[in-house]
Amino acid sequence: MDESIGAKLKMAREDAGVSLSVLAKRTNYTRGYLSNIENGRRRVTPDIILAYERALGDDVNRRSLLSGLATSVVTPLVMSEILREAFTIVLDGEISVEEWQDRVESYGHDFIVLGGNGVSARLTSDLIRLRQRSNEPATCSVAAKLMTFYGKSLPIYDNAKEAVQWYRLAAVMADRSEDLPTRVWVRGMSALALAHDVKQLPMAHLLSSEALALTDIPSAGRVGALIAQAHIAGARGQQRASIQLMEQTEQAFEATGAAGEVSDFAVPEWRYWLMASLLYSRLGDEVRGPVAQEQACRTLPARISRYARNIELHRGLMLAKAGDRRGGLDHAMTAFERMPPEYRSVSARLMLAEIERG
């Protein structure tokens, strides 16, 4: 299997006219390591295939080939874990509502620390299991949150429609829960994720507007919705409105009192400044941007230092939006290439694509 996939990777590279040395520089793998991959002497992983796809450009046929290879590598591994977990649960007995709620809280932490790739197999397994109880009011809130995490784990830059469908389903499920904080969080965080892609701004606007209309009680969901609206205003050239929305966000953030938490259900200081850094960078604001970047670095917990690499992407984005596109792209590419493959998240790839578009 690996020998065949390695040969196809080599063919894709040669078709693109890229040497092993150049590919090694672009992907941050050594030339010898890539040579062993292509000749079947090392196991092919999904990260290697995605690295080839990113490095070899946007040729339709080549991307189709590599995406197919990624599926052939990922699917058996993921499905094996899903099936094993499902049968283990059957043998161990049913999960109580309280246990489901504990699982959701752990996802909030793990999604921040590990990213979507780190929880996708477990998340898929839990969604399959929870489906049997999705009509029970007590589990609707759990299901809505898990569905939101699932949407956030999907590669929106390749298949945005699929992610959007999950967010819409999550909003419907949240409404069935009749739990106000869940309804706001699902919409606010979904809108924030969609606002990173300019093509999804209409849906981001709809979901964030719904979240803000539900309540004015400060929460992580409300903060997410406000920042989503700030991104939307900025993308539409309304810089003044974008900054005013960010000022409202700061007030909501200060009222949440989520100091020190590492969870997708909270917006502590480090996360607020990380969000502010991205927004001001997208605006090309060379006054507010560096302040937010410095504050994000200062408050970032050591155990999630991987986000410091995202801040370097923010700096590249800020430079590009402020007019230095070449300098910004070089800075961002250097930061991206230094990232371990598992840190090259959906948002990181979207940022890099945004800088490349100019």
Side-chain angles (χ1 to χ4, degrees):
M1 167 76 85
D2 281 357
E3 183 176 357
S4 173
I5 294 176
K8 290 179 179 178
L9 290 173
K10 181 178 181 179
M11 180 178 69
R13 175 179 61 76
E14 290 178 343
D15 284 350
V18 176
S19 69
L20 265 178
S21 297
V22 170
L23 188 66
K25 184 177 180 181
R26 291 181 183 178
T27 61
N28 210 32
Y29 290 100
T30 67
R31 186 182 185 283
Y33 184 87
L34 296 179
S35 177
N36 286 333
I37 288 288
E38 292 186 358
N39 289 293
R41 293 190 292 268
R42 276 192 173 272
R43 186 172 67 86
V44 181
T45 65
D47 287 335
I48 284 290
I49 293 172
L50 293 174
Y52 268 71
E53 181 171 284
R54 177 69 199 166
L56 297 183
D58 297 323
D59 180 88
V60 174
N61 293 330
R62 186 161 59 252
R63 288 179 64 84
S64 177
L65 166 67
L66 294 172
S67 297
L69 289 178
T71 301
S72 72
V73 173
V74 175
T75 300
L77 297 175
V78 172
M79 289 309 298
S80 172
E81 186 170 346
I82 289 170
L83 291 170
R84 175 173 50 78
E85 286 257 335
F87 277 101
T88 299
I89 293 300
V90 169
L91 295 173
D92 289 346
E94 186 55 79
I95 300 176
S96 68
V97 173
E98 291 74 18
E99 287 175 304
W100 275 120
Q101 291 169 342
D102 288 342
R103 282 181 175 235
V104 167
E105 290 302 317
S106 72
Y107 275 114
H109 173 272
D110 293 349
F111 200 91
I112 292 291
V113 174
L114 304 175
N117 291 338
V119 301
S120 60
R122 174 161 51 104
L123 183 57
T124 305
S125 177
D126 278 342
L127 281 168
I128 291 172
R129 216 173 299 134
L130 192 60
R131 169 63 185 88
Q132 299 174 354
R133 300 181 59 181
S134 60
N135 290 325
E136 299 177 22
T139 57
C140 285
S141 174
V142 172
K145 292 171 181 175
L146 292 187
M147 292 161 82
T148 305
F149 283 129
Y150 192 80
K152 290 172 66 174
S153 73
L154 293 172
I156 193 170
Y157 52 86
D158 283 336
N159 193 355
K161 286 185 178 180
E162 190 68 19
V164 169
Q165 288 174 349
W166 275 98
Y167 293 140
R168 296 185 73 169
L169 284 172
V172 172
M173 188 65 71
D175 289 343
R176 288 187 181 181
S177 77
E178 299 183 354
D179 181 71
L180 182 60
T182 297
R183 296 174 70 197
V184 175
W185 182 86
V186 165
R187 287 174 166 85
M189 291 305 172
S190 298
L192 182 59
L194 289 170
H196 290 169
D197 183 353
V198 67
K199 292 181 290 187
Q200 302 307 319
L201 294 184
M203 181 55 64
H205 185 267
L206 174 64
L207 290 171
S208 58
S209 297
E210 289 177 351
L212 295 173
L214 284 169
T215 179
D216 59 1
I217 297 173
S219 67
R222 182 171 178 81
V223 169
L226 284 167
I227 293 183
Q229 295 237 324
H231 277 289
I232 293 166
R236 292 173 175 170
Q238 301 164 351
Q239 185 159 337
R240 188 187 199 89
S242 181
I243 292 171
Q244 289 174 342
L245 282 162
M246 201 61 202
E247 290 170 352
Q248 293 181 42
T249 302
E250 186 172 2
Q251 295 172 8
F253 148 69
E254 289 175 348
T256 60
E261 291 187 53
V262 177
S263 172
D264 209 16
F265 297 119
V267 182
E269 189 176 12
W270 68 267
R271 195 176 182 201
Y272 166 77
W273 285 114
L274 194 67
M275 292 175 172
S277 171
L278 175 57
L279 175 70
Y280 291 134
S281 296
R282 291 184 99 179
L283 295 178
D285 192 326
E286 295 184 282
V287 175
R288 295 177 179 85
V291 172
Q293 292 155 14
E294 181 180 345
Q295 292 284 65
C297 288
R298 182 184 63 80
T299 56
L300 193 64
R303 65 185 182 277
I304 51 172
S305 59
R306 70 188 184 95
Y307 286 98
R309 302 173 189 270
N310 280 23
I311 297 170
E312 290 305 313
L313 288 179
H314 294 179
R315 290 188 172 118
L317 179 62
M318 183 184 69
L319 287 171
K321 294 294 185 180
D324 184 7
R325 183 172 176 273
R326 182 70 261 169
L329 183 57
D330 288 346
H331 189 97
M333 284 296 297
T334 299
F336 189 83
E337 288 169 359
R338 288 177 177 171
M339 285 183 176
E342 63 271 18
Y343 289 175
R344 296 172 185 178
S345 64
V346 170
S347 59
R349 293 175 185 275
L350 284 171
M351 263 189 283
L352 198 58
E354 185 174 353
I355 297 169
E356 289 173 335
R357 286 196 304 268

